[in-house]
Amino acid sequence: MKFLMVSSYLPSVLNFRGKLLEAIHQQGYEIHIIAPDLSSFSDEYQKLRSLGYQVYSVPMQRTGTNPVTDLSTVFALYKLIHKIKPDCVLCYTIKPVIYGTLAAWLAKVPKRFALITGLGYAFQNVDQDSTRSIFQKLVHGLYRQALSHCSKTFFQNPDDLALFRALKLLQSNIPAVVVNGSGVNVSDFDVMPLPLNSQNQVAISFLLIARLLGDKGVREYAEAAAIIKKNHPDIQFNLVGWIDDNPTAITQLELDAWVNAGTLKYWGKLSDVRPAIAASSVYVLPSYREGTPRTVLEAMAMGRAVITTDAPGCRETVVDGDNGFLVEVKSIADLVEAMQKFIEQPELAIQMGKRSREIALNKYDVHQVNKHMMTEMGLL
């Protein structure tokens, strides 16, 4: 039996789907992986190969909608999938979901699954009644075609599923399942003590880990930090991430200005985010929309309180007033108010951090999430 995964970014196969592939492999399946740019990720490629997985390269641009290039991607995917002859395929992120699913259908793969991990730029400011751009209509039409050939579609929050149904991107006859994100391997993210000040009390500091995009709320985080620092100059605001090739990306000039002004401490892009989480007492993600944010789950597993938005994907991770606070999307005032609560009552970071760990264990453990997915795919 052969299981195929199609991805647009090889490192995410290990980081986000590694435990799922391991569990499927243990069920006796050969594991096959298709992704672009293998030469750029030799360490990940070698790691996957060392696990006994077959890894194939395919031309695929993560961004852009050049029809000639995308058509060549579909053809290359079809040729590879026809050669591999998998019993089951799982595609995730936009281009693999669209082109991988269509190619798998053309290659007559018996079981075809899509995982919607987040909606991204093609769904920005989109709801059932809103006007959509030509680009958005194109992408949504492609989604509709691809998902019509799925055996089942997985979503990481109920809001995304509801939107796909409302926009008629997912036909009523296609089964859909909501899973608790990608899960987190809680054994890899141990609870770490909160940082202390010179009086041996909890030192409140904040952290955001994200691709440096506008719709991750990076600008709101920086503006809130600047406001807080006027009255509390010693409070540290940490930022981990990188500038991405995306229409909403933060510019290098903006980042440099925040760092040079002392507003943010920039850690760069980290392959291991645990040191940054350990150095911070409260995790902040002011994102406009997510699938289920993995960084929040990792911070929760390490016993950190969370401030995030009352937005799809984000709101599922926080019970307001229990393991953190929910704030309105794009509201700098709300963000400042929530941060101020931790500064005035540092003990909240301890209490809410404990609850975050409990929620991570009970709801987001990666083994539970993977078991749910595998059951729904008929692999158990």
Side-chain angles (χ1 to χ4, degrees):
M1 297 183 293
K2 298 178 181 179
F3 179 88
L4 170 65
M5 179 171 285
V6 184
S7 170
S8 63
Y9 186 59
L10 193 64
S12 76
V13 174
L14 273 173
N15 295 338
F16 292 88
R17 315 283 162 237
K19 288 296 180 182
L20 175 61
L21 291 178
E22 180 183 316
I24 294 171
H25 192 44
Q26 288 173 354
Q27 291 297 311
Y29 282 82
E30 289 181 18
I31 301 297
H32 299 259
I33 300 160
I34 296 177
D37 303 322
L38 299 188
S39 60
S40 300
F41 306 107
S42 57
D43 290 346
E44 290 85 355
Y45 173 79
Q46 292 300 332
K47 174 64 175 175
L48 290 165
R49 292 286 293 135
S50 72
L51 294 170
Y53 305 162
Q54 300 297 313
V55 187
Y56 311 84
S57 182
V58 69
M60 183 190 301
Q61 293 181 335
R62 289 181 64 205
T63 58
T65 53
N66 184 310
V68 176
T69 303
D70 288 351
L71 191 60
S72 68
T73 296
V74 176
F75 184 64
L77 282 165
Y78 168 76
K79 284 174 60 179
L80 264 177
I81 294 172
H82 187 265
K83 177 183 177 181
I84 297 166
K85 290 183 169 55
D87 301 280
C88 177
V89 62
L90 174 65
C91 306
Y92 71 98
T93 66
I94 179 169
K95 289 199 174 184
V97 164
I98 292 172
Y99 301 134
T101 300
L102 289 171
W105 170 65
L106 291 170
K108 296 182 171 59
V109 177
K111 295 180 178 180
R112 302 176 296 274
F113 301 101
L115 171 62
I116 310 299
T117 55
L119 302 190
Y121 184 66
F123 289 86
Q124 192 169 341
N125 301 319
V126 169
D127 58 38
Q128 186 175 359
D129 302 316
S130 63
T131 302
R132 288 175 278 174
S133 67
I134 294 173
F135 167 76
Q136 289 172 327
K137 289 178 180 178
L138 172 63
V139 173
H140 296 179
L142 290 170
Y143 261 122
R144 187 179 298 111
Q145 285 297 317
L147 297 181
S148 71
H149 299 297
C150 273
S151 307
K152 187 174 289 181
T153 302
F154 293 94
F155 291 83
Q156 293 194 333
N157 67 69
D159 295 281
D160 288 355
L161 170 56
L163 182 60
F164 268 59
R165 293 287 197 202
L167 295 174
K168 295 180 170 53
L169 307 188
L170 187 66
Q171 298 174 9
S172 59
N173 64 316
I174 302 298
V177 177
V178 176
V179 295
N180 290 326
S182 303
V184 59
N185 189 11
V186 291
S187 62
D188 285 345
F189 289 85
D190 295 327
V191 175
M192 296 296 291
L194 297 174
L196 303 177
N197 59 24
S198 56
Q199 286 78 43
N200 211 33
Q201 299 170 330
V202 173
I204 294 299
S205 57
F206 300 94
L207 168 67
L208 167 59
I209 303 170
R211 287 183 296 154
L212 301 187
L213 307 177
D215 55 15
K216 296 292 184 182
V218 178
R219 293 187 179 94
E220 287 83 353
Y221 179 69
E223 289 190 45
I227 292 169
I228 292 284
K229 276 185 166 289
K230 289 178 181 178
N231 294 319
H232 305 279
D234 295 334
I235 298 291
Q236 187 162 294
F237 291 82
N238 298 302
L239 177 65
V240 174
W242 70 101
I243 295 175
D244 200 33
D245 181 18
N246 186 287
T248 71
I250 301 299
T251 67
Q252 188 66 53
L253 282 175
E254 286 178 286
L255 178 60
D256 291 344
W258 295 330
V259 173
N260 293 336
T263 305
L264 304 179
K265 177 184 177 182
Y266 181 52
W267 293 58
K269 181 179 181 180
L270 300 180
S271 57
D272 182 357
V273 298
R274 288 173 294 187
I277 296 173
S280 309
S281 48
V282 179
Y283 186 75
V284 184
L285 181 65
S287 178
Y288 301 174
R289 188 180 194 115
E290 295 285 330
T292 295
R294 177 70 172 271
T295 57
V296 171
L297 305 188
E298 291 170 346
M300 287 169 61
M302 290 181 66
R304 294 305 184 259
V306 175
I307 300 172
T308 191
T309 48
D310 188 10
C314 298
R315 66 170 68 103
E316 275 71 42
T317 62
V318 168
V319 177
D320 190 46
D322 182 25
N323 69 310
F325 296 108
L326 293 174
V327 299
E328 184 179 340
V329 174
K330 299 183 183 180
S331 174
I332 296 166
D334 273 12
L335 204 51
V336 169
E337 182 182 350
M339 291 172 172
Q340 196 70 40
K341 289 177 182 177
F342 287 105
I343 294 170
E344 294 171 359
Q345 305 174 69
E347 65 276 9
L348 285 177
I350 301 172
Q351 299 162 9
M352 292 182 166
K354 288 179 179 177
R355 283 294 294 134
S356 280
R357 174 68 178 186
E358 291 169 2
I359 294 170
L361 287 170
N362 295 328
K363 183 176 180 180
Y364 292 109
D365 179 80
V366 71
H367 302 294
Q368 297 176 28
V369 175
N370 290 341
K371 184 178 179 180
H372 185 194
M373 286 194 68
M374 290 169 66
T375 300
E376 292 289 345
M377 289 190 286
L379 304 182
L380 288 177

